[in-house]
Amino acid sequence: MSDAKYFQRGKIQELRTELNSDKKDKQHTKKKTVLKKIVANMTMGNDMSSLFQDVINCMRIPALEVKKMVYLYLINYSRTKPDMAVMAIPTFVKDAEDQNPLIRALAIRTMGYINVEKVVDALIEPLRHCLRDQDPYVRKTAAITVAKLYMYDRSLVEGDGFIDMLRDLLADANPTVVANAVAALTEISERSDNIQLKLNMNVASKLVVALNECSEWGQTYILEALMSYVPQEIGDAELLSELIAPRLQHANSSVVLTAVKVIMYFMNYMTKEEEITNMCRKLSPPLVTLLSTGPEVQYVALRNTLLIIQRRPEVLRNDMKVFFCKYNDPIYVKLAKLEIMFRLANASNVDQVLSELKEYATEVDVDFVRKAVRSIGRLAVKIEQTADRCIAALMELIQTKVNYVVQEAIVVIKDIFRKYPNQYERIIGTLCENLDNLDEPEAKAAMIWIIGQYADRIENSDELLDDFLYTFLEEPVEVQLALLTATVKLFIKRPTAGKDLVPKVLKWATEDVDNPDLRDRGYIYWRLLSTDPAAAKAVVLSEKPRISTETDNMEPGLLDELLLHISSLSSIYHKSPQTFIHHNEMIAGSSRNPGGLESNPYALDIINPENNKNNDNLLLDL
């Protein structure tokens, strides 16, 4: 019988009859078949709760496959039938003492899922025994069950000594048990107000040693826990980083990125520049290797890399070529690579980068081309030696007459004019030839700024502005603000040419528009021009601060926070977790915890109230 045949809507009465059949079935084959049908129907959303009593009766069958299906059924329906779930307690307790470790672990795990008060009460003693079980599989399962129990009733876990038992498991001989104990303690400390996970060098060293024999997810848990260790002695950070470094060669990208995060964290405590440089060199190859994986993993690696190179520019400094875009890269990977190429660009490799960007600017993907053109302009602002070549490249692109390329080029040329005033006015004539093709607000505003800034050097600047003013009231606010300022600049620089335009624009800005920013700026200009023209000239034509690419850098405080969240959603969004995760209370399903637990999985510091004497022994000061 293929598995697909189980997924057919079954009649309750027929299933009950098959479950209660007295026919001889030494291998329990028929019971397994009917239980598979019930689980399949349950999976499809069909209500099988009326068979609760009949399924519980199957718990006595000493077959692991049968018990798995029965326990799955109990987990699913125990919330709706808590009174009947209590009937399974004797069998649970018996199974928790079974000779088969798989059955012992299965019983403990299932009881941890059933949030019924009497079941939880019955779980306490078996769980205590299983935490000291001779079989590591049972111990590792019991460790996770403690964390589940804590989510149901924190006072029970704290008061019955389970925290100390989990702490003792950190010294277990089995690495998987250690990993699960770490995961449980981390989960509990993140949800507790009075339990703080701290590691000393001795325990941290043992955890690092356990890394070698753990599963990949166990390694991730242990690496995450090492973020709770604050190096106290000179050399501790260097030693642990060296021990963690082999994880950078792991095949699992989560292990690699988590190892990178921990090493980046420990580098904050390193005092020798030689050690920091050495670690930076070790971080480069694994990040490069991640770029040979699938596009989704590539994107995650690229977003994390962007954070890393802002803090440690030495990382990947000599690996520019690996970030060159491939023809079959998805657009989101290409855009992420472009940003990193710009960040890594310097005087020694800028020719390579500029050559690549010029190629990208001829691609067919509009978003990619726009980003490439903008990157050329940003390169000119970032590296003064290459400004002439960037201008030449932009002028070549403008000659293509491709609408969106021309408009993007004009936007970045405005920034170049601000960075290097009075150096590239020769290209203004070429820019003015493309006025008729401007239909995007940002490009229009940039061109209007250029005309206003160089109104005294453009002979027909008044005519050009007058053409833009025909649609003043229909333009977006961004364009209206640019027109207002440019017209005032024209009047100040060339009073005769601007005397007819200024009154018209000021009247529109103060009487016919609703935007308060535009209206306020109009009034300011009007009063300045009418009361003190000299002051108006000093204000409007004052020297502007030169722009730089440093404004593109992330705020240091946010960068520090995001580096602590490498390999998480925060590092992909480049946002603090609090901005997109709302810490609502987790409502527990029992009267024991009516207020629920507040989950804060990103908490960096878990406070231990000093005035609570009873909680002193709960500190995980390991």
Side-chain angles (χ1 to χ4, degrees):
M1 190 180 207
S2 66
D3 288 346
K5 293 184 178 180
Y6 296 124
F7 290 87
Q8 297 177 359
R9 188 177 184 87
K11 295 182 179 179
I12 298 295
Q13 192 55 46
E14 291 178 1
L15 294 172
R16 179 178 285 116
T17 303
E18 291 181 45
L19 271 180
N20 296 323
S21 173
D22 294 330
K23 293 181 181 179
K24 292 183 179 180
D25 187 13
K26 292 184 179 179
Q27 300 299 321
H28 311 291
T29 305
K30 294 181 179 179
K31 285 284 195 297
K32 292 176 184 178
T33 301
V34 68
L35 284 170
K36 286 180 180 179
K37 290 179 181 179
I38 292 172
V39 171
N41 273 269
M42 185 177 71
T43 304
M44 293 188 295
N46 300 328
D47 186 11
M48 297 282 114
S49 59
S50 57
L51 295 172
F52 204 97
Q53 180 63 58
D54 306 283
V55 173
I56 285 181
N57 292 336
C58 296
M59 289 181 69
R60 294 189 293 270
I61 298 174
L64 182 60
E65 188 177 358
V66 171
K67 287 184 179 293
K68 285 182 178 180
M69 289 186 283
V70 172
Y71 285 172
L72 183 61
Y73 179 93
L74 287 174
I75 291 170
N76 194 55
Y77 288 116
S78 60
R79 290 184 180 179
T80 57
K81 294 184 177 293
D83 295 337
M84 298 192 73
V86 173
M87 299 170 60
I89 291 177
T91 309
F92 276 135
V93 174
K94 182 180 177 182
D95 285 352
E97 299 173 353
D98 195 275
Q99 292 183 350
N100 187 337
L102 295 178
I103 292 179
R104 294 201 299 274
L106 185 62
I108 289 297
R109 182 171 60 189
T110 305
M111 291 178 78
Y113 274 115
I114 300 176
N115 293 334
V116 176
E117 189 170 346
K118 291 185 179 179
V119 175
V120 171
D121 290 338
L123 170 64
I124 304 303
E125 286 306 316
L127 179 58
R128 201 186 303 277
H129 289 300
C130 287
L131 285 168
R132 297 191 178 96
D133 196 279
Q134 60 182 0
D135 191 279
Y137 182 80
V138 179
R139 295 199 300 275
K140 83 168 183 76
T141 304
I144 294 299
T145 304
V146 173
K148 293 177 186 173
L149 183 60
Y150 187 85
M151 296 174 69
Y152 174 74
D153 190 340
R154 62 172 67 186
S155 60
L156 178 64
V157 172
E158 293 175 0
D160 279 31
F162 285 111
I163 302 297
D164 290 334
M165 297 178 76
L166 281 179
R167 182 189 59 196
D168 294 340
L169 288 181
L170 293 178
D172 197 278
N174 187 283
T176 305
V177 176
V178 174
N180 280 28
V182 166
L185 287 170
T186 303
E187 192 76 14
I188 290 171
S189 66
E190 287 173 349
R191 284 168 164 75
S192 174
D193 295 326
N194 56 5
I195 297 178
Q196 186 174 5
L197 180 60
K198 290 183 179 179
L199 304 178
N200 59 28
M201 185 59 184
N202 184 35
V203 175
S205 300
K206 290 180 179 178
L207 292 181
V208 172
V209 171
L211 279 173
N212 298 322
E213 300 178 45
C214 283
S215 68
E216 51 195 19
W217 301 116
Q219 291 181 37
T220 304
Y221 281 128
I222 290 177
L223 288 169
E224 289 282 0
L226 290 173
M227 297 287 288
S228 301
Y229 171 63
V230 178
Q232 302 295 324
E233 301 291 336
I234 296 176
D236 286 356
E238 289 87 343
L239 175 60
L240 289 176
S241 295
E242 288 291 343
L243 293 173
I244 293 168
R247 300 303 103 203
L248 296 173
Q249 312 303 323
H250 202 279
N252 185 289
S253 55
S254 177
V255 174
V256 173
L257 284 175
T258 308
V260 169
K261 172 170 68 174
V262 178
I263 291 174
M264 286 289 293
Y265 166 69
F266 283 142
M267 284 170 71
N268 295 323
Y269 296 94
M270 295 182 186
T271 54
K272 298 178 181 178
E273 286 298 325
E274 182 183 349
E275 292 287 348
I276 295 174
T277 304
N278 181 41
M279 275 299 153
C280 287
R281 281 199 294 265
K282 290 185 178 182
L283 291 179
S284 298
L287 292 173
V288 171
T289 302
L290 289 176
L291 296 182
S292 61
T293 56
E296 293 82 6
V297 176
Q298 279 189 59
Y299 183 70
V300 173
L302 289 167
R303 295 294 284 174
N304 282 279
T305 298
L306 194 53
L307 296 174
I308 292 167
I309 61 177
Q310 287 185 62
R311 170 48 57 85
R312 303 290 178 185
E314 315 92 275
V315 179
L316 298 167
R317 174 176 288 169
N318 301 317
D319 296 291
M320 173 65 79
K321 287 187 177 180
V322 301
F323 296 103
F324 289 171
C325 300
K326 300 175 183 176
Y327 75 93
N328 58 348
D329 281 339
I331 182 61
Y332 56 88
V333 171
K334 287 182 177 179
L335 295 177
K337 283 184 175 181
L338 273 181
E339 184 62 29
I340 292 178
M341 285 171 61
F342 167 73
R343 295 280 181 184
L344 293 177
N346 53 48
S348 62
N349 61 22
V350 70
D351 288 334
Q352 284 183 320
V353 177
L354 185 56
S355 177
E356 281 291 310
L357 293 177
K358 288 167 67 176
E359 287 291 327
Y360 301 158
T362 61
E363 295 283 345
V364 294
D365 191 297
V366 176
D367 290 336
F368 184 48
V369 171
R370 286 179 180 275
K371 183 78 171 179
V373 174
R374 186 157 294 204
S375 296
I376 293 174
R378 293 171 68 198
L379 271 184
V381 174
K382 179 180 180 181
I383 306 172
E384 187 172 354
Q385 303 95 304
T386 194
D388 290 341
R389 280 168 284 170
C390 291
I391 283 288
L394 291 171
M395 296 312 294
E396 288 179 23
L397 293 172
I398 288 176
Q399 296 303 330
T400 64
K401 300 298 182 182
V402 178
N403 195 2
Y404 56 86
V405 173
V406 171
Q407 299 196 81
E408 200 67 39
I410 288 175
V411 171
V412 295
I413 286 174
K414 171 203 167 184
D415 292 337
I416 295 174
F417 280 169
R418 284 197 58 189
K419 175 69 174 179
Y420 310 110
N422 306 318
Q423 290 189 34
Y424 298 106
E425 289 82 352
R426 64 182 184 275
I427 69 172
I428 293 176
T430 306
L431 301 181
C432 291
E433 293 173 4
N434 296 277
L435 290 179
D436 295 337
N437 297 324
L438 303 182
D439 54 18
E440 297 175 5
E442 190 176 8
K444 278 187 178 182
M447 192 66 227
I448 291 167
W449 181 89
I450 293 172
I451 295 172
Q453 189 70 17
Y454 298 97
D456 54 340
R457 303 184 192 184
I458 303 174
E459 293 182 3
N460 61 337
S461 56
D462 54 330
E463 296 175 6
L464 298 177
L465 287 177
D466 196 23
D467 289 340
F468 280 112
L469 288 173
Y470 278 122
T471 56
F472 180 86
L473 295 176
E474 289 77 39
E475 296 289 356
V477 174
E478 179 182 4
V479 177
Q480 290 177 334
L481 287 167
L483 276 170
L484 175 60
T485 301
T487 306
V488 173
K489 285 181 179 179
L490 171 65
F491 176 71
I492 292 173
K493 293 181 177 183
R494 298 172 57 195
T496 305
K499 66 180 181 180
D500 294 330
L501 298 181
V502 166
K504 181 167 55 176
V505 174
L506 291 177
K507 184 177 184 302
W508 284 337
T510 56
E511 296 180 9
D512 297 337
V513 298
D514 296 326
N515 185 273
D517 291 335
L518 180 60
R519 193 167 57 244
D520 289 350
R521 187 181 293 190
Y523 278 122
I524 291 171
Y525 285 156
W526 200 325
R527 288 170 183 168
L528 278 172
L529 291 171
S530 60
T531 59
D532 193 346
K537 182 176 181 179
V539 171
V540 177
L541 300 183
S542 60
E543 186 176 350
K544 308 294 187 296
R546 293 191 179 186
I547 62 172
S548 71
T549 55
E550 291 182 5
T551 56
D552 295 333
N553 294 336
M554 193 172 289
E555 181 187 344
L558 177 60
L559 179 60
D560 289 340
E561 182 180 5
L562 294 181
L563 286 170
L564 295 175
H565 296 297
I566 287 177
S567 79
S568 71
L569 281 177
S570 285
S571 64
I572 299 174
Y573 294 156
H574 287 186
K575 293 181 179 179
S576 173
Q578 290 77 14
T579 61
F580 61 90
I581 294 180
H582 303 291
H583 304 303
N584 296 325
E585 287 189 344
M586 297 172 60
I587 306 300
S590 165
S591 59
R592 293 193 188 194
N593 188 16
L597 301 178
E598 185 172 347
S599 170
N600 185 2
Y602 290 95
L604 301 178
D605 295 306
I606 303 168
I607 300 171
N608 173 44
E610 295 182 357
N611 57 352
N612 192 342
K613 302 292 186 182
N614 296 328
N615 292 326
D616 288 349
N617 64 333
L618 297 177
L619 271 177
L620 301 180
D621 197 356
L622 306 175

